[in-house]
Structures are given as C-alpha cells and as structure tokens.
Amino acid sequence: MKKLLGLALLTAVLLSGCGEVQISINKDQEPQTEENNSKEESNNGLSMVDDGKDGDKLTDADKQKAIIQFINEDIQRVAEYEVVAFESLASVSGVNYTDDETLYKELTSTTIPSYEKALGEAESIEGEIPELEEMTERIVEATQIFYDSLLLEKQALEEQDEGLIEESNAKIEEYYRLVESYHSDMKLLAEKYDVTYQVDGQGGDVDEL
C-alpha cells in the first residue's frame, strides 16, 4: 500500500484521562454505612425497606459510593481496553509509522479488537443513580464514535481513500470534544456530592503520519 497522508490523531484524551483518577470523600462528612443506617433506623423504631435504588430515597453517602464505584470500577474496565487500543495505534503511527501495511495489520489485529471490547464494557455499564445515567449514555456515545472512526480508518487503508481518512479524523475530533465535556461535567457532579474528582495526565501525542 502507498502511504496515506492526513491520517492523524490528536492529543490522547481518554475516558480515564490516561492517568489516575483521584477520588476522596470529603472528610467532614461521615459516609452513611449500612451499619449506621441500621442503627439509625432502629433508634427511630423504623423497619428496613428496600426502595429498589429509588434515587429520591438514596442518601448523599449512597450517591458518593455510587460515583466512586462508577469511576473506579465501571470506567476503569472501559479504560483498560481503551488504553491498549490507543497504545497499539500509537505504535504504528506518527514517528513510529513505517508503512500502510504495518499500520493496517496492527489496526485489525489489536487496535480495533481492543476498542471493540472497550465499547462492549461501556454498553454494559448501568448507572446506579439517576445522575449517572446521562454520564453512561455519553460514554457509550463517545466510545461508539471512536470505534466508528477506527472502522473508517481501516476502510480508508483498504481503499486508499483520502476522503474516508477525513471522515475518520472528524469523528476522532468529535470523540475528544465529548470526552472533554464528560470530564468537566463529571467533576461538577462529583463535587456536588463532596467527592474530589481529578484526572492527572493526558497521555502522549499520536502525531500526523
């Protein structure tokens, strides 16, 4: 294959931020544990009632726990595959680019399969509280868009089509906008429930071929 110009990725801004997500509950507020709940209700002569995860009946401590689990467990599962896919693509593009054949082989053998798993993990997330449902939808949308960009890139290499490369790059840029917006809004949501949300490090760059 001849070399296709214009195939590029911008700064790697992943759902995980490609770094550690630091989370700490506000120390001034004691988390409402199951044991504390039981004692409190017992003192008030109340019986335990399963509210079926009704968002209106959950305490702020319950929501803190849900947010931390969402980031540390749900998003982490997506990010693990996402990072593999980005590192795979970076290994054969930019300064590491050699030829289209090598790029295509890596794309089809590792990059796309890894990101397909990231998309699958994103689609399996269930927001434990109403506030996380929208975040989940946005994560699924972002991962789907990036996955579509990879498929377009694969097709572009097969057909040697610069137009498809441009379409792929447009979807990549849309992905970055969505992820940056997600991080900003996730930080606001976390702060609302006294959880510190900080994404450190934005990963490396994958330069234009």
Side-chain angles (χ1 to χ4, degrees):
M1 296 182 186
K2 67 177 181 179
K3 176 179 176 180
L4 280 181
L5 299 177
L7 180 59
L9 284 179
L10 306 179
T11 303
V13 182
L14 310 182
L15 289 173
S16 64
C18 206
E20 294 184 358
V21 179
Q22 298 181 354
I23 306 167
S24 59
I25 296 178
N26 189 318
K27 298 299 187 297
D28 295 332
Q29 181 174 350
E30 181 182 355
Q32 191 77 11
T33 64
E34 188 174 325
E35 182 179 354
N36 288 339
N37 279 335
S38 179
K39 288 181 180 178
E40 212 174 285
E41 293 184 5
S42 176
N43 291 337
N44 292 327
L46 300 176
S47 59
M48 293 289 287
V49 177
D50 183 3
D51 59 20
K53 288 290 183 182
D54 187 334
D56 294 333
K57 296 180 181 179
L58 292 174
T59 66
D60 282 358
D62 291 330
K63 293 185 177 183
Q64 286 176 337
K65 182 178 179 181
I67 289 169
I68 291 172
Q69 178 178 322
F70 180 78
I71 299 168
N72 281 351
E73 298 179 20
D74 297 334
I75 298 303
Q76 182 59 30
R77 287 197 301 272
V78 178
E80 285 175 359
Y81 292 115
E82 194 183 39
V83 169
V84 171
F86 267 77
E87 290 180 346
S88 166
L89 190 56
S91 72
V92 290
S93 60
V95 295
N96 297 316
Y97 174 84
T98 54
D99 54 66
D100 280 359
E101 185 176 357
T102 301
L103 173 59
Y104 182 82
K105 183 178 180 181
E106 183 68 21
L107 191 68
T108 55
S109 66
T110 304
T111 311
I112 290 176
S114 296
Y115 209 86
E116 187 172 6
K117 291 177 181 178
L119 176 59
E121 290 292 349
E123 291 174 335
S124 71
I125 296 175
E126 296 182 5
E128 292 295 317
I129 59 176
E131 292 90 335
L132 289 175
E133 291 177 1
E134 181 184 350
M135 293 299 178
T136 300
E137 291 174 0
R138 290 164 66 178
I139 287 168
V140 172
E141 180 184 8
T143 51
Q144 180 66 62
I145 286 172
F146 194 83
Y147 181 65
D148 290 344
S149 77
L150 293 176
L151 296 182
L152 282 169
E153 187 175 324
K154 171 179 174 288
Q155 185 181 353
L157 289 168
E158 291 171 342
E159 300 177 11
Q160 292 293 291
D161 189 329
E162 289 281 357
L164 291 176
I165 287 295
E166 292 177 4
E167 289 182 36
S168 175
N169 285 339
K171 283 187 175 293
I172 289 170
E173 290 174 4
E174 183 180 0
Y175 164 84
Y176 288 136
R177 288 194 296 270
L178 288 171
V179 171
E180 287 172 351
S181 175
Y182 157 77
H183 282 309
S184 295
D185 291 345
M186 193 68 223
K187 182 177 181 180
L188 291 175
L189 175 60
E191 288 176 349
K192 179 180 178 181
Y193 293 103
D194 296 316
V195 175
T196 300
Y197 178 83
Q198 180 179 351
V199 180
D200 289 335
Q202 296 301 316
D205 293 338
V206 182
D207 301 321
E208 184 173 320
L209 288 179

